[in-house]
Amino acid sequence: MRVKIGLLGLGTVGTGTAQILLDPWGRNPILKDIEIKRVGVRSPSKSRQVQVSPEVITTDLEQIVIDPEIDIVVELLGGLEPARSLILQAIAHKKHIVTANKAVIARYGDEIYEAANQAGVYVLLEAAVGGGIPIIKPLKQSLGANRIKSIVGIVNGTTNYILTQMTAAGADFGEVLAEAQKLGYAEADPTADVDGWDAADKIAILASIGFAGRVKREDIYCEGIRQISAADITYADKLGFVIKLLAIAEGSKGDDSETLQVRVHPTLVAKDHPLASINGVYNAILVTGEPLGQVMFFGPGAGAGPTASAVVSDIMNIVGILKSSGGQPQGLDPLLSVTHQHYCSLTAVEDLKTRFYARFLCQDVPGVIGHLGTCFGRHNVSLESVVQIGYQDQLAEIVVVTHEVREGNFRQALGEIEQSEAISSIPSVLRVL
Amino acid sequence: MRVKIGLLGLGTVGTGTAQILLDPWGRNPILKDIEIKRVGVRSPSKSRQVQVSPEVITTDLEQIVIDPEIDIVVELLGGLEPARSLILQAIAHKKHIVTANKAVIARYGDEIYEAANQAGVYVLLEAAVGGGIPIIKPLKQSLGANRIKSIVGIVNGTTNYILTQMTAAGADFGEVLAEAQKLGYAEADPTADVDGWDAADKIAILASIGFAGRVKREDIYCEGIRQISAADITYADKLGFVIKLLAIAEGSKGDDSETLQVRVHPTLVAKDHPLASINGVYNAILVTGEPLGQVMFFGPGAGAGPTASAVVSDIMNIVGILKSSGGQPQGLDPLLSVTHQHYCSLTAVEDLKTRFYARFLCQDVPGVIGHLGTCFGRHNVSLESVVQIGYQDQLAEIVVVTHEVREGNFRQALGEIEQSEAISSIPSVLRVL
């Protein structure tokens, strides 16, 4: 039995995918039963790194998603449209879907899964999070026996590269970003990466699977790394931390309720924490569950080869199911499909309980530290340390680390502190893992 | 549709498994469709940490594996017999098998898989390697698009705990082993762990899956950690390494041949290597493939909860397949079953190409280093460094690190060096990753 696929897009990941499929030697033998029936591209005459026979290539993407001979549509266009419409149209024509498109799933996952469940087809998306790292399938299948407590990940390679370089070179954000753009690790418009949106898309997907509920993408608290300075990295280092952009989903289950906190922000991570040593463009995802404890998945979070590896693993998964059912699966495997329909109730960031790091520039007058302590105390914010760390432009630089406090209280205290004459500015406020 | 399971064994892992199955709240809802039909134990009156209704418990294990109502037999007895016979009998009665038994699969996997494929049932064993870490299923499914190049793992928690403690405390093997036995991290008879046999069972299983061929367990080169001294750990540290017991499978594919090297031995690992920071009872497995690059899986390698998490994930996997096929799968999913029948050709350890670390105790006479260099050179062993590191009992202590050399040549050189009068002894020879 041969399974026919239609490929939408022949960019970096599409090319990597076709390269694996056209060169199955030494890989899982199931690949030999897969045929690329059609490849949809924008510019058919463009020269490419892979030899796809010209008669397979078309610019008519719709023709692919309705082709009765195609079993699996592999969407590698990226972006919201026409990806969303083509996926929905393919589902309506009973095609299984494999996609690497985190943006479309994070925003339209509900609509897409609902359509897929009605049509009895799979929508697999291993490549959407963590590039080549197997995380979606392990989370669905291997960790499903657990009560998931948290998912904490470094899921954006660009920002991890920038923070790693800033740490290694003591350089500021702007310089390192420019260098990363030169090297191709950051895009010309780096917004989606450096402002945390890409990481938010990914944690929306992971949270939805791990906590078995829908997550509204727009409710995710999201803070990027533009404001991180070389000074903060140095002070964090002195305190025993590195700064990482973390995507975090934490659940707390009461007897009849379940609340979820989903957020993306730069975070101080203790140097002996497993995520602290994940450097460069690598990604890692740490999952905590009961009774499992902690497992971590580490690997290349982007790139043609790793992402194509994940795309092809999803194709293989569907081919395996088709082969074992003579091409006609009677129903969907509940561990591979996504059937939850309720929305997780997300806690507002004000109710987050976390430790904070904050840096203040103050007039160098007696009593400033006492004043800070009093303000924080008034709002129930308990301090772990207050250290005057140096001088800058004749202002005293003071770094505060709190115990675990409610974010709302901390913000109120900050608001009050900002008003005081002795405080010139608050250049940075960061959470501590 | 409810799926009925029979549990063989209610020890640590059996109890953990029953605890998850009897308390499904907050876990994957598929668990609610699983019923523990029978539990086979040796002493039914023993008090246990889990409430299984007494009428479910039996001492007649055979009755379980032939029970027509049971769909899945979960073998958690450990050891070779009666585990092997009961598994084969269960397969003959068309039961799917879930097992945590690395010893039985490493030795009798061929017989068991052959029977299972004929009967059309699955044999899943996620818990057999890496405890709660998802590695078997990712290797079968998620990484299958790759040409696997190597699998390198810290897969035995006991020895990793011992080496970590030796490194932290500067203590010798004997002391730390005694302490580990007191803490329950090592067994009264620690042979299977400290001599590397358990790690060899596990790498046999991983190699067989990753390289899609049978691996003869008895052909695996296996060296334990008994001979590691505090001195070696100190010298390794000075040279920038930590010592880890690694299980390694490395393939090299020629145009018409494929050879595999599978081995377990203590190894010097560079401190910035991802495996160097895996400490205590944790396990980690690093897989290198093309086009993926490297991914690492890290987590708790043993313990009731983690191992039970893996056992239950396998049960869930089969339940998912049964549910999606109305209880009657038409065939086996080729990605989940093990169908290869050829044996991998294993390279002899003499043909291994690796770097070496060796420590010599020599008479403190001029020309000793020159003599060492000449002997090694005669056998084509190129040296990276030769350092006289100190004195011990009036003998000079010399540490040699080689470039990558053929093990056979290195051993011949060592044999010649041992004969020289100037060399008193060679207390340790270790490979370098």
Side-chain angles (χ1 to χ4, degrees), chain B residues 195-217:
Chain B
D195 289 336
W197 303 349
D198 170 79
D201 285 348
K202 290 168 177 168
I203 195 69
I205 293 171
L206 293 180
S208 172
I209 293 170
F211 294 93
R214 294 179 175 179
V215 172
K216 286 213 181 87
R217 168 65 181 81

Side-chain angles (χ1 to χ4, degrees), chain A residues 20 23-28 30-31 122 126 132-134 137-138 140-148 253-255 274 277 282 290-292 294-300 305-306 309 312-313 316-317 320-321 323-326 328-335, chain B residues 20 23-28 30-31 122 126 132-134 137-138 140-148 253-255 274 277 282 290-292 294-300 305-306 309 312-313 316-317 320-321 323-326 328-335:
Chain A
I20 295 177
D23 179 23
W25 175 84
R27 314 183 194 279
N28 192 302
I30 205 172
L31 292 179
Y122 291 103
E126 186 60 69
I133 308 170
K137 208 168 306 166
K140 280 181 181 172
Q141 294 195 323
S142 306
L143 306 181
N146 293 273
R147 294 184 182 126
I148 302 298
K253 289 184 189 189
D255 273 344
S277 53
Y282 279 95
E290 181 278 321
L292 173 60
Q294 291 196 317
V295 289
M296 189 172 83
F297 304 80
F298 160 84
S309 159
V312 177
S313 85
M316 288 166 51
N317 201 337
I321 292 169
K323 284 174 81 84
S324 64
S325 61
Q328 297 289 340
Q330 289 194 271
L332 292 176
D333 185 329
L335 292 186
Chain B
I20 295 177
D23 179 22
W25 175 85
R27 312 183 194 278
N28 191 301
I30 205 172
L31 293 178
Y122 291 104
E126 186 59 72
I133 307 170
K137 207 169 306 166
K140 280 181 180 172
Q141 295 196 323
S142 305
L143 307 181
N146 293 274
R147 295 184 181 123
I148 301 297
K253 290 185 187 185
D255 272 345
S277 53
Y282 279 94
E290 180 278 320
L292 174 61
Q294 292 196 317
V295 288
M296 190 172 83
F297 304 80
F298 160 84
S309 159
V312 177
S313 86
M316 286 166 50
N317 201 339
I321 291 168
K323 283 175 81 84
S324 63
S325 61
Q328 297 288 341
Q330 288 194 272
L332 291 176
D333 185 329
L335 292 187

Side-chain angles (χ1 to χ4, degrees), chain B residues 158 177-178 180-182 184-194 226:
Chain B
T158 303
L177 172 62
Q181 286 171 319
K182 248 188 254 165
Y185 292 158
E187 296 190 39
D189 175 2
T191 307
D193 292 317
V194 303
R226 285 186 202 266

Side-chain angles (χ1 to χ4, degrees), chain A residues 131-275:
Chain A
I133 308 170
I135 176 63
I136 303 275
K137 208 168 306 166
L139 203 51
K140 280 181 181 172
Q141 294 195 323
S142 306
L143 306 181
N146 293 273
R147 294 184 182 126
I148 302 298
K149 296 187 166 174
S150 66
I151 302 170
V152 182
I154 293 171
V155 291
N156 180 273
T158 304
T159 47
N160 202 49
Y161 173 82
I162 292 173
L163 290 172
T164 302
Q165 286 303 102
M166 286 175 68
T167 306
D172 264 312
F173 173 77
E175 308 166 40
V176 179
L177 172 62
E179 185 207 325
Q181 284 171 321
K182 249 189 252 163
L183 290 168
Y185 291 158
E187 297 189 40
D189 175 3
T191 307
D193 292 318
V194 302
D195 290 337
W197 303 350
D198 171 80
D201 285 348
K202 290 167 176 169
I203 195 69
I205 292 171
L206 293 179
S208 171
I209 293 170
F211 295 93
R214 294 180 175 180
V215 172
K216 283 213 184 87
R217 167 67 181 78
E218 62 271 24
D219 290 351
I220 295 176
Y221 177 82
C222 184
E223 202 178 290
I225 65 163
R226 287 186 201 266
Q227 85 286 13
I228 304 292
S229 68
D232 290 315
I233 290 179
T234 307
Y235 299 152
D237 177 67
K238 282 186 190 159
L239 295 164
F241 297 100
V242 293
I243 299 181
K244 295 287 182 193
L245 182 70
L246 297 187
I248 302 175
E250 259 179 309
S252 79
K253 289 184 189 189
D255 273 344
D256 53 357
S257 73
E258 181 182 347
T259 56
L260 199 58
Q261 227 155 30
V262 188
R263 49 203 165 94
V264 172
H265 51 69
T267 316
L268 271 69
V269 179
K271 284 180 188 169
D272 62 352
H273 189 279
L275 290 172

